[in-house]
Amino acid sequence: MATAIEKWVDEQARLYEPKHVYWCDGSEGEAHRLMEMGMREERIGQHEVFCELNQKLWPKAYLHRSHPTDVARTEHLTYVCHSDREATGPTNNWMHPREAKELMTRLSRGAMRGKTMYVLPYMMGHPDSPYAKACVQVTDVSYVAVSMRIMTRLGKPILKKIGKSENFVKGIHSVGDFDPAKRFIMHFPEESLVWSVGSGYGGNALLGKKCFSLRIASWLGYKQGWLAEHMVIMGIEDLRGNVTYITAAMPSACGKTNLAMLESALPEYRVWTLGDDIAWLNIGPDGRLYAINPESGFFGVAPGTSMKTNPNMMRTLKTSNFYPTLFTNVALKTDTNEPWWEGLDGALPDHLLDWQGQPWDPSKMTKAAHPNSRFTVSLHNCPTLSPEYDNPQGVPISAIIMGGRRSRLIPLVTEAFNWDHGVFMGARMGSETTAAAAGRVGVLRRDPMAMLPFCGYNMGDYFRHWINIGRMMPRPPRIYAMNAFRVNERGEFLWPGFGENIRILKWIIDRVNGRAGAKETPLGLVPSANSFPVEGLDIPRQNLSQLFEVNEGEWQEEVEEIKNFLDQFGHRLPHEIRHYCNTMAARLQFGGRHT
Ligand code: GTP
Ligand code: SPV
Ligand code: MN
């Protein structure tokens, strides 16, 4: 008797009509076969899918060049298809599930003719974790199969684990002909199904990542009493060996990967990495909030990564283990066959091919690497990987940070008065857009909890869910806002960031342990004079006061924008959020204190 998975895969094969169906088993031999397929058989336009890079200097590294239109997430083509439109909310694109399936079926018929359909059984989370989820994805490109082997726990044992059960998350993926007019990323939360055609890009195609682990999982969390978040998970160890675990939400390309593995500028701390993008948060038996990282790799931004900014990532990229390392849309240093991107250490190379494989001409002022070029690398290469990474229960969280990219207004760090106020702090977040999503870059938009593009249901209900989760914990984590991107009048960053961000974390840990002072502002609590650790910090004194400044005049516009944004959720907006919004507005205008 065929299992539920076999039946479902057969159904996809009948629709897509591939030449071969290949079930991935996760073995080493398979890794070679997949790379061979990508180097010798499959093509994207006139390019091969993979080219081998200098194996001496970059072990197991391969270059992938995408289709030129397929370089970032496409939020305008991403839909959440609840049968009840209201459940999707005002911040997601919606299509009725029936209509969406008809459209996707039409676009998919025969789309894998002459190709191989790879079947990928994988697990998000450690197989022994009560919080993990078993999944199956089909895809028609080796790049996605190889990427999923790095980013998830993929292999034969997962098939065995699912057995005859129908309880697995389904992902259907085909690159089609990369036509942006026929590109859709559809989510069906009611049946734990993601269906994506027309794009091979990370967040559009590695369906275990944003599509399942955030959009579908956030809905599951809403129904089942947990949270799926766009967050770093990290541990900070002091000299006595105490480790404080924190999570940090930041929008795409706003510093999560760099924070997750920072090399501490303060000798009394070291950082342990558990995850750089996604956290699943569950209330543990002791009433604390526990975090697991459902992923097993990094899909990180290349530009700006160097020995100076993120030495631990450079070490990760130059290490090799069982898995290959992929570089997508970076430039190529032709003399040595090495990957290259803007911000990498060393002099500008003499001969570069740009991210599309064309000779690069520096006088043209274009970037050689695409601004959203990325690497895909196993977490197990990371020298700061936490020994707790594989703990099936996760790690207990003491503080949650909500960060963003704001050139003005938002202080370096602010502590919330309490959980509900912290939820408001997350709900009012804004951030300047980046190259991680198609569209304009540097435009301010509201991005609550860094989940605007990833919340798989009505965000008004999501805020309510956050408030409720706080009620269920006797000892909830404290909540903080953070902004490392404030600039001066000349547009220069006021804060050095990267390894110096440990100072922000130190203040947070000291606060959690009752060891640091704070001063009240209408936004929340900021460090009191002398409570922020500045020893050895080499920045002009005035920068610090500018970093913590709350300019009440400038805030009026911000308050209006926050109110307008929150108003769209109507009666679904929790009254606690409206309360904190109103009191913040009143304090900014008339003064007064938190009571
Ligand atoms: P996603 O993978 O898209 O979710 O992004 P992310 O939040 O992990 O962003 P990442 O850490 O990759 O950072 C994106 C860009 O911001 C990179 O170019 C970094 O070099 C830069 N960056 C990261 N942290 C800092 C910081 O503290 N200060 C400054 N000025 N830039 C930073
Ligand atoms: C992001 O855009 O937030 C990423 C990359 O982390 S992707 O996997 O494409 O979502
Ligand atoms: Mn992300």
Side-chain angles (χ1 to χ4, degrees):
M1 257 268 293
T3 61
I5 300 186
E6 285 164 348
K7 278 193 211 150
W8 180 78
V9 169
D10 268 357
E11 211 179 291
Q12 306 319 314
R14 277 199 301 279
L15 173 63
Y16 279 99
E17 301 173 34
K19 186 164 157 202
H20 305 288
V21 177
Y22 172 78
W23 290 69
C24 287
D25 59 16
S27 66
E28 175 131 39
E30 174 177 285
H32 294 295
R33 282 199 296 281
L34 289 172
M35 296 317 301
E36 284 295 309
M37 282 296 283
M39 286 192 290
R40 325 249 175 258
E41 297 203 11
E42 292 171 12
R43 302 193 95 67
I44 293 178
Q46 60 276 48
H47 296 300
E48 42 288 283
V49 174
F50 293 120
C51 311
E52 200 172 74
L53 291 163
N54 186 323
Q55 298 292 298
K56 254 211 186 103
L57 298 171
W58 300 82
K60 293 202 179 178
Y62 295 83
L63 173 66
H64 167 75
R65 294 193 185 105
S66 77
H67 188 273
T69 68
D70 191 29
V71 294
R73 282 182 297 100
T74 45
E75 294 175 6
H76 57 296
L77 305 174
T78 301
Y79 286 71
V80 177
C81 309
H82 286 275
S83 52
D84 168 18
R85 184 178 193 154
E86 280 284 298
T88 301
T91 59
N92 282 306
N93 298 313
W94 178 82
M95 202 181 285
H96 192 281
R98 197 178 335 103
E99 192 189 335
K101 282 189 183 167
E102 276 166 20
L103 169 64
M104 298 304 269
T105 305
R106 218 162 41 240
L107 296 176
S108 299
R109 197 156 280 137
M112 295 188 192
R113 269 179 215 150
K115 298 205 221 177
T116 297
M117 181 168 93
Y118 303 96
V119 183
L120 315 168
Y122 67 99
M123 199 84 194
M124 295 314 286
H126 190 282
D128 295 339
S129 172
Y131 312 126
K133 298 275 187 282
C135 316
V136 179
Q137 173 174 342
V138 296
T139 182
D140 56 359
V141 60
S142 54
Y143 171 70
V144 167
V146 174
S147 299
M148 289 291 284
R149 282 171 52 105
I150 302 169
M151 297 302 295
T152 74
R153 292 158 167 101
L154 183 150
K156 225 183 199 156
I158 311 303
L159 277 182
K160 221 168 146 192
K161 198 174 165 71
I162 300 173
K164 295 199 162 78
S165 161
E166 295 188 13
N167 187 14
F168 57 94
V169 177
K170 303 174 182 77
I172 312 172
H173 174 251
S174 163
V175 292
D177 54 7
F178 294 98
D179 179 354
K182 292 189 255 162
R183 187 173 292 163
F184 291 98
I185 300 95
M186 300 282 194
H187 302 75
F188 304 88
E190 289 147 305
E191 43 191 303
S192 288
L193 166 69
V194 184
W195 196 344
S196 164
V197 296
S199 168
Y201 174 75
N204 292 340
L206 314 181
L207 304 185
K209 200 170 173 49
K210 297 309 200 313
C211 300
F212 170 54
S213 290
L214 289 180
R215 294 197 192 92
I216 302 276
S218 61
W219 169 253
L220 293 177
Y222 175 57
K223 292 282 155 192
Q224 301 166 355
W226 54 282
L227 294 166
E229 298 296 329
H230 193 202
M231 286 179 179
V232 171
I233 311 170
M234 65 197 290
I236 301 118
E237 181 174 344
D238 67 16
L239 288 177
R240 268 170 282 143
N242 297 323
V243 185
T244 307
Y245 294 99
I246 66 156
T247 64
M250 294 172 184
S252 305
C254 289
K256 287 184 303 303
T257 305
N258 283 269
L259 187 70
M261 56 180 68
L262 70 77
E263 191 158 78
S264 173
L266 298 175
E268 64 269 34
Y269 290 103
R270 66 178 298 180
V271 158
W272 294 105
T273 310
L274 290 102
D276 80 323
D277 200 46
I278 297 177
W280 284 353
L281 306 171
N282 283 271
I283 300 173
D286 60 355
R288 299 188 71 187
L289 193 63
Y290 281 76
I292 65 159
N293 174 11
E295 302 192 279
S296 61
F298 304 113
F299 180 56
V301 176
T305 308
S306 70
M307 281 310 283
K308 235 169 79 197
T309 57
N310 192 351
N312 286 319
M313 184 51 92
M314 293 306 295
R315 293 175 190 123
T316 302
L317 294 172
K318 293 217 170 179
T319 307
S320 91
N321 68 16
F322 181 78
Y323 299 99
T325 297
L326 309 182
F327 291 90
T328 299
N329 291 341
V330 298
L332 182 70
K333 205 168 146 182
T334 45
D335 295 343
T336 53
N337 192 29
E338 287 181 88
W340 190 87
W341 51 82
E342 279 74 10
L344 188 62
D345 311 273
L348 185 66
D350 289 334
H351 303 109
L352 283 175
L353 296 184
D354 70 14
W355 62 276
Q356 289 183 286
Q358 300 303 315
W360 183 67
D361 176 355
S363 70
K364 291 233 173 82
M365 304 295 284
T366 56
K367 304 274 190 217
H370 189 278
N372 191 39
S373 54
R374 293 200 176 232
F375 41 75
T376 318
V377 64
S378 167
L379 258 146
H380 296 280
N381 283 11
C382 178
T384 60
L385 182 65
S386 164
E388 292 296 301
Y389 163 69
D390 261 339
N391 185 333
Q393 305 302 324
V395 291
I397 299 303
S398 299
I400 296 175
I401 299 174
M402 311 272 189
R405 184 182 283 269
R406 293 296 299 267
S407 47
R408 293 164 54 244
L409 286 176
I410 306 293
L412 185 62
V413 57
T414 318
E415 183 183 277
F417 299 127
N418 54 50
W419 179 267
D420 289 359
H421 181 243
V423 177
F424 166 61
M425 231 151 87
R428 73 161 156 77
M429 271 171 66
S431 195
E432 287 142 25
T433 52
T434 66
R440 284 173 62 206
V441 169
V443 200
L444 178 65
R445 72 170 184 184
R446 294 295 121 198
D447 191 350
M449 281 88 164
M451 283 289 280
L452 181 82
F454 308 121
C455 182
Y457 62 103
N458 192 310
M459 272 203 133
D461 297 341
Y462 170 76
F463 298 145
R464 165 56 59 205
H465 184 48
W466 262 82
I467 300 268
N468 289 343
I469 290 278
R471 301 275 181 281
M472 288 153 69
M473 284 182 288
R475 294 193 292 159
R478 289 211 202 169
I479 301 181
Y480 295 81
M482 164 179 166
N483 173 32
F485 296 94
R486 207 162 173 174
V487 300
N488 64 16
E489 313 72 50
R490 293 185 298 281
E492 299 152 349
F493 289 120
L494 289 165
W495 181 248
F498 303 105
E500 299 290 356
N501 287 333
I502 190 70
R503 295 173 190 275
I504 302 172
L505 303 178
K506 174 174 167 39
W507 184 74
I508 290 174
I509 293 168
D510 285 348
R511 285 291 299 164
V512 166
N513 292 307
R515 290 196 298 255
K519 178 175 86 183
E520 197 174 316
T521 76
L523 310 182
L525 302 163
V526 299
S528 56
N530 306 324
S531 80
F532 190 77
V534 292
E535 316 79 52
L537 178 65
D538 187 21
I539 60 170
R541 257 264 165 301
Q542 85 231 28
N543 282 24
L544 270 182
S545 51
Q546 283 179 284
L547 279 162
F548 288 108
E549 188 179 59
V550 179
N551 183 324
E552 293 170 16
E554 281 187 15
W555 265 86
Q556 299 308 325
E557 207 178 307
E558 176 84 358
V559 167
E560 280 315 301
E561 220 193 281
I562 292 169
K563 282 188 169 163
N564 285 340
F565 177 78
L566 294 177
D567 274 348
Q568 70 182 316
F569 302 104
H571 68 276
R572 290 173 117 106
L573 185 73
H575 62 88
E576 291 88 344
I577 302 234
R578 196 171 295 286
H579 164 77
Y580 279 111
C581 188
N582 290 339
T583 48
M584 181 183 81
R587 277 185 216 139
L588 280 163
Q589 209 170 358
F590 308 114
R593 294 173 63 82
H594 169 68
T595 45

